[in-house]
Amino acid sequence: MSRMPYLIAALVMGTGLAWTIHLIVAPEPWAFDSAFTIAIGSLVFSIVAMTGLLLGRGRWTRFFAAGLIIAQLLIVLVADIEPWLLVAVAGSLLSLVGLAGPWLSGWLRERPAAGSPGVIPLGLAIGAFALVPLVGLAAPAGLEYAHGLLGAAGILASWGYLKGKVWALWLLRVGVPLLAVAAASASPPAGAVVMGIAGLALAWCAWKEEARLAVDPLPANLPSPRRRPS
C-alpha cells in the first residue's frame, strides 16, 4: 500500500502547525488575542483535515483540506515575513500539490458512505466551530466580550450538534444569530459584515430539514404484531 496518503495528511497537519506557530510568534497585524483565536481555529481544522484524510476518507476531505490551505495562505497578504511564515508557505504549496495530485485516487471513496450525515449537518458542525477564528478576523484590534461569547457559543454548539443534542440545534437557530449581532456591533465595518454573514448562514442551515433530522431521536421499535388465538 502506498504511503503517500499518510505523507499528505502529515504534511497538511504540519502546515497547520506552522501557521499556528507563526500567528503566535508574529501576530501582526492582529492583536495577540485575535491572532490566537485564528491560530486555534487553524490548528483544530488541520486536525480535522488530517483525521478525515486518514480515517474518514470521504470525497469532502480533499476539498476541505485544500480550502483550509488556501485560506491559510491568505495570511501572506497581511503578514510580516519571518522564518515560520516561510515554512508555512512552503508546507502549504507542497500540501496543495499532494492534494491535487493522483496519490489520493483509490484512497478516498468516490461515493458517499452509507449513513453519512450529509452536507448541511456537516457544514453546521464545522461552521459553528469556524466562529472561533472568524471572531479573530472580525476584530483585528482585539476581542470584546461579545466576540468571546460568540466563539464560546460556536464551540458549544458544534460539540452539542455532533452529539445529536436538540438544544445545540436551537442554539444555532436562535442563540448564535443573536450573539453574532452583538459581535457585529462590537466590530469594525468589515468585521461586522463577516459576523452578520456568518450568523445568517448558520441560522439558515439550522432551519433546514436536514439539520433537524440529524438530531432527531430514532423512533422506538414498534412491538411485534399479536397473533390471534386459533
Side-chain angles (χ1 to χ4, degrees), residues 30-58:
W30 293 283
F32 179 78
D33 54 353
S34 299
F36 186 75
T37 60
I38 300 172
I40 293 299
S42 175
L43 182 62
V44 170
F45 283 138
S46 296
I47 295 172
V48 172
M50 180 187 67
T51 305
L53 289 170
L54 292 179
L55 301 180
R57 298 170 64 173

Side-chain angles (χ1 to χ4, degrees), residues 85-110:
L85 177 68
L86 300 178
V87 172
V89 169
S92 296
L93 296 178
L94 289 174
S95 296
L96 288 176
V97 170
L99 292 168
W103 302 285
L104 294 177
S105 298
W107 175 263
L108 300 180
R109 290 190 302 270
E110 296 299 326

Side-chain angles (χ1 to χ4, degrees), residues 63-79:
F63 301 109
F64 177 80
L68 174 63
I69 296 296
I70 292 171
Q72 291 168 335
L73 276 172
L74 293 178
I75 297 174
V76 175
L77 299 177
V78 295

Side-chain angles (χ1 to χ4, degrees), residues 136-205:
L137 292 171
L143 302 180
E144 302 290 343
Y145 287 113
H147 298 115
L149 288 174
L150 180 59
I155 295 173
L156 186 62
S158 180
W159 174 84
Y161 191 72
L162 286 172
K163 294 289 186 180
K165 305 296 184 182
V166 176
W167 59 259
L169 180 63
W170 283 102
L171 179 58
L172 288 164
R173 286 176 171 180
V174 180
V176 165
L178 291 176
L179 290 173
V181 171
S185 66
S187 305
V193 172
V194 172
M195 293 290 91
I197 292 175
L200 286 175
L202 287 172
W204 180 81
C205 291

